[in-house]
Amino acid sequence: MDRIRIVGGNALNGIIPISGAKNAALPLMIASLLTSDTLTLENVPHLADVEGLIRILGNHGVDIAVNGRREHQDGSYSRTVHFTCRTVADTTAPYELVSKMRASFWVIGPLLAREGQARVSLPGGCAIGTRPVDLFIEGLTALGAEMEIDGGYINAKAPKGGLIGARYTFPKVSVGATHVMLMAASLARGTTVIGNAAREPEVVDLANCLNAMGAKISGAGTSTITIEGVTSLSGARHRVLPDRIETGTYAMAVAMTGGDVTLSGTDISLLDTAIEAIRRAGAEVSAVDGGIRVIGHGDAIRPVDIVTEPFPGFPTDLQAQFMGLMTRANGISHVTETIFENRFMHVQELARLGAKITLSGQTARIEGVTRLRGAPVMATDLRASVSLVIGGLAAEGETMVSRVYHLDRGFERLEEKLTRCGAIVERISD
Ligand code: UD1
């Protein structure tokens, strides 16, 4: 199993190219199940989760052609992938595949809309809470589907003639359930109005792509989305939006180590709340042509309290990284997690680097320390693991992060991007 070795203490200086967003790419890829034409996606990141979903879509009958990478001067590359699902080969998504990646559960939406039925295993995914599927069941039931749980699977069946547009308000905001409703309602008869919809940029990206395929969706990015159903969708070409979580992660790394880095190919407006928190912590962050410039001052980090919330609030996917930054602040800060109930697994690992953190319910109290010391640590989930990398970059001496397959799910060429900016980071394959 691979490990990542970090020798901390170096400031970061240079350019870090930001990849296409994993959380946008996954639902966009799944949308290819809605049409028999080719959906072409540009800027698809090369990540374990994307490759896993490629295999899952292949099982449903999607032909996939990957175009070679184009290298750019700043070290970035982008992949264009063509997805064609002439006919759906299988409407079952088996446990062996869905349990590896929760987002693959979302195939339930397009399969039900296009084929009138789907049998999808209940999901697995990151160990960050129970993550139920009640909102998917309620939403699809509102569109007329019969939903039945049987032996670890959900059997979904559309009424004769297909799904029927309806008004449905989510009792709780869910990104995944909003994606699924957008895809399902696009091919339903009549108009659907979704209330309390997720407002994340990835939802807007999916709506834009579906509209390019011929869907009639308005209001994405607000909490009320209206979808006028159409009888069929066509192919389209769409560019995956930049990864705001990767952007925020590297911005926090620079705030922590000090230095001057341009994050290229990204957009500051995707993460206003996180940028505001990073600025309050003392780093200078500004929009520049084609990206964001971050100037960090290393030791002079100020304590800042944050609370995770659905977009446009502070993203839960940046919570662990921000806590990493706060471990070196000049004072006490609080980080409160409101989205997932078990998302503090990084706390004990950060403590191994010398951080002083106490947990009380959903809030962590972080007492900043003047220095962190490198140590062997273990990655526990995707975002938690990158907080350990950030900690290691700022720590004295060597940090060895094991179980890096978690990182490979969501961070493209992490070692290379950091090394180009002066960090000492290497992958060790045993
Ligand atoms: C997506 C992101 C993930 C991010 C999360 C919240 C992807 C691939 N993943 O996950 O990185 O951390 O949004 O921003 O895009 N819930 C229910 N019932 C349901 C569905 C969800 O109670 O049927 C709960 C969840 O347990 C959680 C909350 O709703 O507490 C939000 O989860 P949700 O927005 O659905 O997260 P995902 O879409 O799985």
Side-chain angles (χ1 to χ4, degrees):
M1 246 191 276
D2 288 3
R3 291 175 294 160
I4 286 187
R5 176 177 172 269
I6 303 159
V7 180
N10 287 6
L12 294 169
N13 286 290
I15 299 175
I16 298 181
I18 297 302
S19 301
K22 170 182 85 78
N23 286 357
L26 300 179
L28 291 167
M29 291 164 66
I30 289 172
S32 70
L33 287 168
L34 287 164
T35 173
S36 56
D37 292 344
T38 300
L39 175 64
T40 298
L41 298 178
E42 298 170 2
N43 203 28
V44 177
H46 191 264
L47 297 169
D49 272 12
V50 169
E51 304 317 299
L53 185 57
I54 283 180
R55 279 192 294 280
I56 289 167
L57 292 175
N59 192 50
H60 293 298
V62 183
D63 268 340
I64 289 145
V66 182
N67 273 12
R69 315 152 170 186
R70 266 182 298 120
E71 295 282 345
H72 299 284
Q73 266 196 334
D74 62 2
S76 64
Y77 70 79
S78 59
R79 290 199 309 165
T80 297
V81 187
H82 308 276
F83 300 85
T84 314
C85 186
R86 293 259 174 267
T87 50
V88 174
D90 196 341
T91 53
T92 299
Y95 175 71
E96 308 81 78
L97 299 180
V98 181
S99 59
K100 292 205 181 89
M101 190 201 329
R102 183 181 161 90
S104 61
F105 177 79
W106 302 345
V107 299
I108 197 167
L111 290 177
L112 190 56
R114 181 165 164 187
E115 297 296 304
Q117 59 176 30
R119 177 170 160 79
V120 179
S121 168
L122 292 166
C126 271
I128 54 173
T130 48
R131 302 182 91 172
V133 292
D134 54 318
L135 302 175
F136 296 82
I137 294 178
E138 269 188 27
L140 293 171
T141 303
L143 299 182
E146 270 174 40
M147 309 287 289
E148 175 201 80
I149 298 185
D150 170 36
Y153 278 75
I154 293 195
N155 293 321
K157 208 166 178 333
K160 267 208 179 77
L163 296 171
I164 306 159
R167 274 183 175 271
Y168 174 72
T169 296
F170 283 113
K172 179 174 186 178
V173 178
S174 162
V175 175
T178 303
H179 285 320
V180 163
M181 286 296 274
L182 287 189
M183 292 190 271
S186 286
L187 287 181
R189 286 172 287 156
T191 301
T192 298
V193 180
I194 307 173
N196 202 21
R199 290 179 280 167
E200 269 69 2
E202 293 76 19
V203 169
V204 179
D205 207 35
L206 176 64
N208 288 342
C209 178
L210 291 170
N211 282 341
M213 293 164 72
K216 293 187 175 161
I217 302 172
S218 57
T222 73
S223 47
T224 305
I225 304 181
T226 304
I227 306 128
E228 271 177 59
V230 296
T231 49
S232 68
L233 294 170
S234 60
R237 193 177 183 95
H238 180 85
R239 186 174 172 80
V240 178
L241 102 169
D243 197 317
R244 64 194 167 96
I245 304 304
E246 191 193 24
T247 304
T249 299
Y250 288 125
M252 289 172 196
V254 179
M256 187 140 177
T257 61
D260 185 348
V261 169
T262 298
L263 306 170
S264 64
T266 188
D267 180 351
I268 202 163
S269 67
L270 294 171
L271 66 164
D272 287 340
T273 312
I275 295 287
E276 189 47 39
I278 297 167
R279 283 186 179 134
R280 283 171 53 212
E284 295 165 50
V285 188
S286 53
V288 293
D289 196 20
I292 301 176
R293 182 173 176 201
V294 186
I295 301 174
H297 302 290
D299 284 343
I301 299 164
R302 290 194 292 261
V304 176
D305 293 349
I306 56 131
V307 178
T308 64
E309 277 165 350
F311 192 86
F314 190 98
T316 175
D317 286 352
L318 285 172
Q319 179 257 104
Q321 299 89 314
F322 197 75
M323 193 185 296
L325 174 61
M326 288 298 104
T327 61
R328 297 252 349 260
N330 306 325
I332 291 164
S333 59
H334 298 88
V335 166
T336 303
E337 172 61 51
T338 72
I339 309 289
F340 293 110
E341 75 241 30
N342 185 22
R343 208 174 200 183
F344 281 136
M345 285 173 301
H346 43 286
V347 167
Q348 57 189 19
E349 299 301 310
L350 286 170
R352 294 177 55 76
L353 299 177
K356 286 193 182 163
I357 307 172
T358 45
L359 279 179
S360 163
Q362 291 297 90
T363 297
R365 176 184 184 275
I366 304 120
E367 189 181 332
V369 294
T370 46
R371 60 182 186 180
L372 297 176
R373 285 257 172 97
V377 289
M378 198 185 280
T380 51
D381 72 54
L382 171 53
R383 310 303 176 183
S385 52
V386 82
S387 76
L388 303 175
V389 173
I390 295 182
L393 291 174
E396 286 171 13
E398 180 182 292
T399 296
M400 187 73 83
V401 184
S402 56
R403 299 202 180 166
V404 297
Y405 54 84
H406 289 294
L407 275 175
D408 295 335
R409 291 186 43 217
F411 288 88
E412 189 177 39
R413 297 178 307 136
L414 173 106
E415 316 88 272
E416 185 193 319
K417 290 185 185 188
L418 289 169
T419 305
R420 284 172 69 104
C421 288
I424 303 175
V425 181
E426 63 173 340
R427 180 177 291 254
I428 300 173
S429 301
D430 294 328

